[in-house]
Amino acid sequence: MRQGLSADLIKRILGASPKWTIMQLEEKFPPRNLADGAMVTRFAPSPTGFMHIGGLYQMLINYKLANQSNGVFMLRIEDTDTKREVTGAVELILDTAVKFGLMPNEGVSETGNYGPYLQSQRKDIYHSVVAELLAGGAAYPCFLTSDEMEEIRENQKLAGLPTGIYGEWARNRNLGEEEIIKHLNNGEIPSIRLYSTGNPDQKIFCKDGARGSIAFPENNEDIVLIKSNDGLPTYHFAHLVDDHFMRTTNVIRGEEWLPSLPLHFQLFRMMGWAPPVYVHTSTLDKIDAETGKQRKLSKRHDPEASVANFLEYGWPTDAVLEYLLNIASSGYEEEKTKNPNTNLWNYPIKIKKIPMSGALFDMKKLEWWSREFIGAMSIDDLTGKIIGWAKEYSPEWKKIIHSHEDYLKSILSIERDNPKRIRKDFVTWKQTLEEVLYFFDELFISNTDFDFNKSALIAFISGFDISDGKDIWWNKIVEIANGLGLKNGDVAMNLRVAVTGRTNTPDLYSIMQVMGHDRVVNRLQKAIG
RNA sequence: GGUCCCAUCGUCUAACGGUUAGGACACCAGAUUCUCAUUCUGGUAAUACGGGUUCGAUUCCCGUUGGGACUGCCA
């Protein structure tokens, strides 16, 4: 067993004596008292900007796994990179949880006995753990500067070696106390590195809940545990400490973490802690416009993939979730057609079904989910959602709709009475309003390209009675057509274009009924000129 | 370069080692007493390649190719 550091020196390195022993932390955060099979999951984003559709995918899976097993879903903010942190990002994440109905049971802004849930507030916990590692010789202070590390990397590249601080390249891994003190007296602040005992010639078998067992070379890198600039942990160390003491049972995360899995197993093994069940989800991809190749949907390059963007366009949140759910667990779609009671919230997902290959984000399919979802909504719900969207995202529409909420409702009701024949041309709230914009006089634009048959329009006005039933209304059109030697459809098209400005619309009779006598006649007269 | 992951219609996927390789989206065609949408019917379309193992391979093994991730005191 390697010689560790003295308590005094550890205190000096960390700036303070550890607040707790690991034993005390075990008592402070005892194993959870949950039923068998209950999963404790977490969504653990870093607050570096906007929420991304891939993040929402993660959030959904974690939420459902916890929820369907009567477990606990936590929201933990990984704000250990102070340089990249963006103000307001936490609020954005919370806002996403609220809007999509994926509220955590524990986490920032929620209560919970396993917090704090902001990593920046857990420094004492990390330091307490790392102090024992230093005392036991499993970690050591490292005074390498970034210039020195850069030089090491260059040399390794030149020599065709793997880059990193390991073995003989880890020049500080066996510093004696006197040398450490000398550095300290020099005013240098060390990072704390793992004293890795892994041997890359050996294999370590790591289990992934969906992929099975994966063999990796053991990790021999002395990775940083605690960063020198702010004393905060790196992802790896924070993951170890947090997911142990938060008693996470299932870590669902993106496949970008797969390469560090052997390290994480090593860390848990070193501590004598049981590792969680890991599941590494595949990426959500797109075809890159420039290279023509498939690649991960990225925060930086694909602003259209931001959750905020979906919200601004007014995609129904449940439809987005259903699309995502079907990717995470492809049986959902089929089960839903078989059993109409199946929905997003009651359909259980299976870890083993989570796909391992990257999926192209398919807007067409999303649109289909959305059409179906909107088609199945009640008219009150639909109207309410659209009004709610306009209030939050569109001052223009808000103003227009404001005094016409009942009118809007009757507009949206057109061809919605027969459940088998509901229109499915509404996709997003924004697009829905644009679809029906001609109903509003402020927005109606008369069609000046269309060559109206004015006699037909005049004839229609003279016989027009808003109280006519549909058959009578149609018969009048037929009569006009016969009288002028036109086709029925031609007369209908003349009326349609005059009244709506468009050649494609829903049922004309319903439109006129909703618009009312005056508006219809006005527009017809306008077309006549 | 090194390590690892992945590979069924255009897309998302289903198929105890034995199926005419199924479904959904998209697309095309036809029907549905006014256009559009809806609805209904039909259709085009896939196991990347090469070796094994096996009576039999989409399925198991190996290799090749292709795609992806990681290789930071970022997560």
Side-chain angles (χ1 to χ4, degrees):
Chain A
M1 190 70 188
R2 208 174 87 92
Q3 177 80 42
L5 267 29
S6 71
D8 279 351
L9 189 51
I10 291 170
K11 181 179 174 184
R12 196 165 161 206
I13 289 168
L14 295 177
S17 295
K19 199 160 174 180
W20 301 286
T21 64
I22 288 176
M23 284 281 273
Q24 286 170 327
L25 288 171
E26 293 287 352
E27 284 165 23
K28 191 170 154 67
F29 305 112
R32 293 167 183 270
N33 191 14
L34 293 170
D36 268 8
M39 294 184 199
V40 180
T41 65
R42 83 294 194 285
F43 178 57
S46 54
T48 54
F50 52 77
M51 265 291 283
H52 181 258
I53 195 77
L56 187 62
Y57 179 63
Q58 297 284 328
M59 201 177 198
L60 207 218
I61 295 173
N62 278 289
Y63 173 91
K64 286 212 59 87
L65 250 21
N67 215 257
Q68 73 195 23
S69 67
N70 293 314
V72 179
F73 172 51
M74 300 182 284
L75 174 63
R76 180 173 76 222
I77 302 298
E78 311 229 324
D79 57 344
T80 57
D81 186 353
T82 38
K83 288 186 287 286
R84 290 207 313 156
E85 185 161 356
V86 172
T87 48
V90 175
E91 287 69 22
L92 215 64
I93 292 162
L94 247 21
D95 185 57
T96 302
V98 171
K99 291 220 169 82
F100 284 83
L102 302 173
M103 284 303 287
N105 308 302
E106 288 178 16
V108 285
S109 89
E110 303 301 311
T111 52
N113 298 325
Y114 292 82
Y117 298 89
L118 223 49
Q119 288 183 331
S120 58
Q121 295 174 3
R122 297 172 64 79
K123 208 165 168 175
D124 288 341
I125 299 174
Y126 305 121
H127 282 208
S128 296
V129 175
V130 91
E132 291 199 19
L133 295 178
L134 287 165
Y140 66 91
C142 174
F143 297 91
L144 252 26
T145 65
S146 49
D147 284 349
E148 286 175 298
M149 288 188 292
E150 188 55 41
E151 187 196 323
I152 289 172
R153 203 186 337 268
E154 288 306 315
N155 287 333
Q156 288 168 330
K157 276 185 184 166
L158 245 42
L161 263 25
T163 55
I165 304 302
Y166 59 88
E168 61 205 42
W169 303 94
R171 304 206 281 253
N172 288 355
R173 79 190 308 240
N174 289 311
L175 251 32
E177 295 220 348
E178 299 78 35
E179 293 167 290
I180 292 172
I181 290 168
K182 213 183 288 172
H183 276 109
L184 256 18
N185 286 344
N186 228 358
E188 297 172 42
I189 300 169
S191 62
I192 313 296
R193 285 186 184 270
L194 171 73
Y195 189 93
S196 179
T197 55
N199 173 4
D201 294 334
Q202 302 279 316
K203 292 276 182 202
I204 177 170
F205 292 88
C206 303
K207 242 184 223 119
D208 176 286
R211 293 167 203 257
S213 184
I214 305 165
F216 291 90
E218 284 183 3
N219 166 69
N220 67 335
E221 269 195 74
D222 288 355
I223 58 121
V224 172
L225 268 17
I226 298 290
K227 298 184 279 183
S228 63
N229 62 339
D230 49 18
L232 287 169
T234 56
Y235 172 88
H236 305 106
F237 191 57
H239 156 57
L240 170 76
V241 172
D242 291 348
D243 284 316
H244 175 68
F245 286 118
M246 289 180 178
R247 308 296 175 177
T248 308
T249 63
N250 295 72
V251 170
I252 319 297
R253 46 153 56 159
E255 73 175 358
E256 67 271 19
W257 292 110
L258 203 47
S260 40
L261 193 53
L263 167 65
H264 296 161
F265 269 90
Q266 178 187 11
L267 257 18
F268 273 90
R269 186 181 292 173
M270 174 182 79
M271 300 305 296
W273 295 342
V277 173
Y278 290 94
V279 179
H280 295 89
T281 63
S282 54
T283 52
L284 259 25
D285 303 343
K286 70 176 276 180
I287 299 292
D288 189 281
E290 279 174 31
T291 66
K293 287 182 176 173
Q294 184 163 341
R295 53 150 245 255
K296 180 179 165 182
L297 227 28
S298 125
K299 246 189 201 187
R300 288 219 307 280
H301 304 299
D302 309 305
E304 80 273 13
S306 82
V307 170
N309 192 262
F310 284 88
L311 259 13
E312 272 160 37
Y313 276 94
W315 289 88
T317 54
D318 279 17
V320 175
L321 255 22
E322 283 196 293
Y323 170 70
L324 258 18
L325 176 61
N326 194 242
I327 290 179
S329 203
S330 71
Y332 175 62
E333 183 181 340
E334 198 179 338
E335 180 60 28
K336 197 172 176 175
T337 58
K338 273 194 231 155
N339 181 355
N341 292 327
T342 302
N343 66 42
L344 159 65
W345 305 106
N346 67 19
Y347 180 79
I349 64 175
K350 295 187 187 72
I351 283 180
K352 288 217 162 61
K353 293 277 286 185
I354 295 174
M356 294 172 275
S357 50
L360 276 181
F361 195 85
D362 185 350
M363 284 306 278
K364 288 285 187 196
K365 188 101 190 211
L366 207 214
E367 285 182 13
W368 175 77
W369 279 106
S370 199
R371 288 174 205 277
E372 292 294 320
F373 178 78
I374 293 175
M377 289 174 90
S378 75
I379 182 62
D380 286 331
D381 203 4
L382 172 59
T383 312
K385 285 278 195 231
I386 289 183
I387 291 168
W389 173 83
K391 281 182 180 160
E392 182 162 2
Y393 294 99
S394 172
E396 301 82 19
W397 274 112
K398 183 186 167 189
K399 216 171 113 192
I400 290 163
I401 292 173
H402 178 64
S403 50
H404 297 299
E405 293 193 1
D406 288 341
Y407 184 44
L408 176 66
K409 183 174 166 181
S410 48
I411 292 168
L412 297 173
S413 303
I414 291 173
E415 290 182 46
R416 244 177 181 277
D417 41 341
N418 180 351
K420 288 289 283 179
R421 299 257 159 157
I422 288 176
R423 298 190 69 78
K424 287 184 181 159
D425 40 11
F426 299 154
V427 180
T428 70
W429 308 142
K430 185 180 184 188
Q431 172 268 148
T432 298
L433 285 168
E434 283 162 1
E435 199 65 36
V436 300
L437 109 195
Y438 56 82
F439 279 91
F440 300 93
D441 292 332
E442 304 92 309
L443 302 172
F444 171 70
I445 299 164
S446 38
N447 191 322
T448 51
D449 298 333
F450 193 83
D451 189 17
F452 288 108
N453 184 314
K454 293 177 184 173
S455 317
L457 301 185
I458 291 165
F460 181 82
I461 293 176
S462 67
F464 183 46
D465 184 344
I466 192 74
S467 62
D468 283 345
K470 186 166 184 182
D471 289 343
I472 296 173
W473 171 84
W474 178 249
N475 286 339
K476 286 181 176 174
I477 289 173
V478 173
E479 277 173 35
I480 294 168
N482 289 342
L484 295 171
L486 297 169
K487 286 184 189 165
N488 300 344
D490 290 340
V491 176
M493 186 55 78
N494 267 278
L495 294 170
R496 168 172 295 109
V497 175
V499 169
T500 69
R502 298 186 181 183
T503 51
N504 298 336
T505 73
D507 177 59
L508 227 206
Y509 175 76
S510 305
I511 289 175
M512 289 187 177
Q513 286 295 306
V514 168
M515 284 186 172
H517 174 273
D518 292 354
R519 189 179 276 114
V520 170
V521 171
N522 266 335
R523 293 188 181 186
L524 290 170
Q525 272 164 349
K526 217 166 157 187
I528 292 163

